[in-house]
Amino acid sequence: MGKGGKGQPDWYGIMAAMASMASWNWGGANNWSKERERVMESDIVGTCVEWKGNYGWLKTEEDFDHPAKEKRDGKIYINKKDIEGTPETLAEGQKIKFKLYADGSGLGA
């Protein structure tokens, strides 16, 4: 296992690896950026095409031009925590009004 003794993990090695990961550049080219950019100023309407309990995917018929539209077949990510009011869930086929943003991962609501 490591220097921790018989059958014990090498905690020093694990902690050193985690510390080195903290200095990695997780944004930008790696698409892990948390920066959100508004795509449109006005709200748009979309339809829930997939719901997984805590997150899902929307599609919209609204016409907009943005490079992130090419990612994920144009689907727009939505998380349960971003839904205002109750219930904090969606059903497939449900219409929803939202603000469209883009980040390193693609489009989101």
Side-chain angles (χ1 to χ4, degrees), residues 1-12:
M1 271 274 170
K3 295 182 181 182
K6 189 175 183 179
Q8 298 295 316
D10 177 9
W11 292 112
Y12 178 77

Side-chain angles (χ1 to χ4, degrees), residues 10-80:
D10 177 9
W11 292 112
Y12 178 77
I14 292 170
M15 296 304 287
M18 290 173 67
S20 71
M21 288 173 62
S23 66
W24 293 358
N25 178 11
W26 293 99
N30 292 327
N31 290 336
W32 286 55
S33 174
K34 299 291 184 193
E35 294 290 321
R36 289 182 172 184
E37 163 203 346
R38 283 288 295 269
V39 175
M40 301 173 72
E41 287 302 315
S42 59
D43 291 349
I44 65 172
V45 176
T47 304
C48 179
V49 293
E50 197 174 343
W51 187 251
K52 301 292 188 181
N54 290 316
Y55 71 95
W57 299 97
L58 309 173
K59 283 277 200 164
T60 185
E61 300 297 319
E62 301 264 347
D63 189 31
F64 64 94
D65 197 27
H66 195 279
K69 189 175 180 179
E70 303 302 315
K71 292 184 177 184
R72 294 172 190 27
D73 195 30
K75 290 193 282 187
I76 302 162
Y77 175 81
I78 185 166
N79 192 294
K80 176 181 175 177

Side-chain angles (χ1 to χ4, degrees), residues 51 53-54 78-91 94-96:
W51 187 251
N54 290 316
I78 185 166
N79 192 294
K80 176 181 175 177
K81 67 181 180 184
D82 292 325
I83 298 173
E84 294 178 357
T86 55
E88 295 175 330
T89 187
L90 294 175
Q94 182 177 349
K95 297 274 188 196
I96 181 173

